[in-house]
Amino acid sequence: MTAPGLPMQIPADGLPAHVRIHEVGARDGLQNEKAVVPTEVKAEFIHRLADAGLPVVEATSFVHPKWVPQLADAEALFPLLGDLDPQTLPVLVPNDRGLDRALALGARRIAVFGSATESFAKANLNRTVDEALTMFAPVVQRSKDAGAQVRGYLSMCFGDPWEGPVPLPQVVRVCRALLDMGCDELSLGDTIGVATPGHVQALLTALNDAGVPTARIGVHFHDTYGQALANTLAALRHGVTTVDASAGGLGGCPYAKSATGNLATEDLVWMLHGLGIDTGVDLGRLTATSVWMAEALGRPSPSRTVRALSHKE
Ligand code: HMG
Ligand code: MG
């Protein structure tokens, strides 16, 4: 008999026993909200996510405040998280100026964020793809010197709103460059949510063929066309064990036309726990957090699982 609010557990062959969820709601989610969420509410959100058992909770970005005003309070937020281990709180950093700010506050998990396409590199970073890589190189080196782990995000790995489908070799080239400059792991972004499972499989295979081990690859799906869970399952079957998701399905990207929410963490946890895959996440506490955040934002969560679990007659 399955307890109410929990999926029935029926494992399937060929899947990992444990998945590490990289929670991005407080960064990818809130950066896309029209309203600027008060700093104290963000701090409580992050604490509640950590309390729900999420092992990694991306906290904020040290970017130019005019480019992303929603996260302009990074200096005020980070000290409110002082009781949490900085190794569990990644922050996005595009350049040396951002790294100075992040390291000064004690951040020890850094993420640079590149693009597979020229159009998005220009829109998001005001740089060409290669100029952005040049900007990241000292950030990665200095982060490693400071003992920080470094993640390399790559946006538009599948399709781009201006350029259409993105050729695999174009994606592989930038992934290789991020790893070669010292990134510990990659996160493959389907920024506008157009990927389908065969495409995911093809990209992972192309990366392996280029010498990129699956163990260093995470996936970051947006759910624009309802494909995020199917794409995640394809990645798990390939051996991926790091999956990005956003509590309540918050998210998008301010510079990507048509990007809607990230894969909702609750939807992901429902599927993983149903497959008998351990995540360490308490689904009830996580759902309560997303319901609380939806109330703070004044609109319901788009996550099907949050809606189903919080539905009252
Ligand atoms: P720029 O205008 O080219 O900046 O922007 P610049 O290098 O020419 O510098 C101009 C001024 O900005 C200078 O000040 C700098 O000091 C200052 P001035 O000398 O004129 O007084 N400045 C900064 N100030 C504070 N913090 C900084 C910083 N950097 C420069 N870090 C820049 C270039 C990269 C800064 C800008 O384009 C930027 O901040 N972009 C961030 C965009 C962003 O955060 N996008 C969302 C994250 S990516 C994403 O969501 C996708 C992802 O989820 C994966 C997926 O779904 O695909 C990760
Ligand atoms: Mg994203």
Side-chain angles (χ1 to χ4, degrees):
M1 184 67 187
T2 306
L6 294 174
M8 195 163 21
Q9 276 195 20
I10 303 182
D13 291 339
L15 294 173
H18 177 83
V19 161
R20 186 173 59 123
I21 299 179
H22 183 110
E23 169 61 46
V24 297
R27 193 279 304 169
D28 207 349
L30 297 187
Q31 78 181 4
N32 206 44
E33 285 298 320
K34 285 197 181 64
V36 177
V37 174
T39 310
E40 294 70 26
V41 175
K42 290 178 182 170
E44 183 171 348
F45 186 38
I46 292 167
H47 278 102
R48 290 179 69 143
L49 293 168
D51 287 346
L54 286 155
V56 181
V57 183
E58 204 163 86
T60 187
S61 300
F62 290 89
V63 296
H64 195 296
K66 287 205 183 109
W67 284 66
V68 186
Q70 293 88 339
L71 303 183
D73 62 350
E75 262 78 9
L77 174 67
F78 217 75
L80 301 182
L81 309 174
D83 55 319
L84 300 172
D85 177 358
Q87 294 288 348
T88 67
L89 299 172
V91 295
L92 264 62
V93 166
N95 54 14
D96 273 324
R97 171 91 180 85
L99 188 66
D100 292 341
R101 294 172 57 205
L103 293 179
L105 287 162
R108 286 298 178 271
R109 200 156 172 169
I110 302 297
V112 294
F113 47 102
S115 170
T117 66
E118 294 297 341
S119 304
F120 188 69
K122 193 78 192 156
N124 201 42
L125 294 161
N126 196 25
R127 301 283 186 280
T128 65
V129 169
D130 287 339
E131 284 167 354
L133 291 171
T134 303
M135 178 168 74
F136 300 150
V139 174
V140 175
Q141 187 56 54
R142 289 179 55 213
S143 299
K144 312 266 319 175
D145 292 347
Q149 266 196 62
V150 187
R151 162 175 261 222
Y153 273 110
L154 191 63
S155 289
M156 303 299 175
C157 288
F158 299 91
D160 172 287
W162 301 278
E163 300 180 21
V166 181
L168 298 179
Q170 196 172 317
V171 182
V172 170
R173 180 183 83 83
V174 190
C175 284
R176 267 265 50 115
L178 287 167
L179 283 184
D180 292 346
M181 76 172 65
C183 289
D184 299 295
E185 70 169 7
L186 295 170
S187 172
L188 306 178
D190 183 17
T191 319
I192 55 169
V194 292
T196 46
H199 198 164
V200 172
Q201 174 69 32
L203 177 56
L204 291 168
T205 303
L207 284 166
N208 293 156
D209 290 347
V212 180
T214 306
R216 292 179 71 182
I217 302 175
V219 287
H220 180 105
F221 295 120
H222 286 249
D223 207 23
T224 321
Y225 292 88
Q227 304 298 298
L229 269 184
N231 290 336
T232 301
L233 189 56
L236 297 178
R237 287 204 186 285
H238 195 89
V240 169
T241 57
T242 298
V243 180
D244 298 1
S246 163
L250 294 168
C253 182
Y255 301 108
K257 266 190 290 176
S258 79
T260 54
N262 291 75
L263 168 60
T265 313
E266 290 85 352
D267 297 6
L268 173 65
V269 169
W270 184 272
M271 180 179 83
L272 295 176
H273 290 185
L275 286 163
I277 298 172
D278 170 53
T279 64
V281 174
D282 179 327
L283 185 56
R285 290 178 89 159
L286 177 61
T287 302
T289 299
S290 290
V291 169
W292 166 82
M293 196 64 208
E295 277 164 15
L297 294 169
R299 55 177 180 74
S301 160
S303 158
R304 304 276 180 89
T305 302
V306 170
R307 289 183 184 204
L309 292 179
S310 59
H311 180 75
K312 295 187 190 75
E313 291 304 326

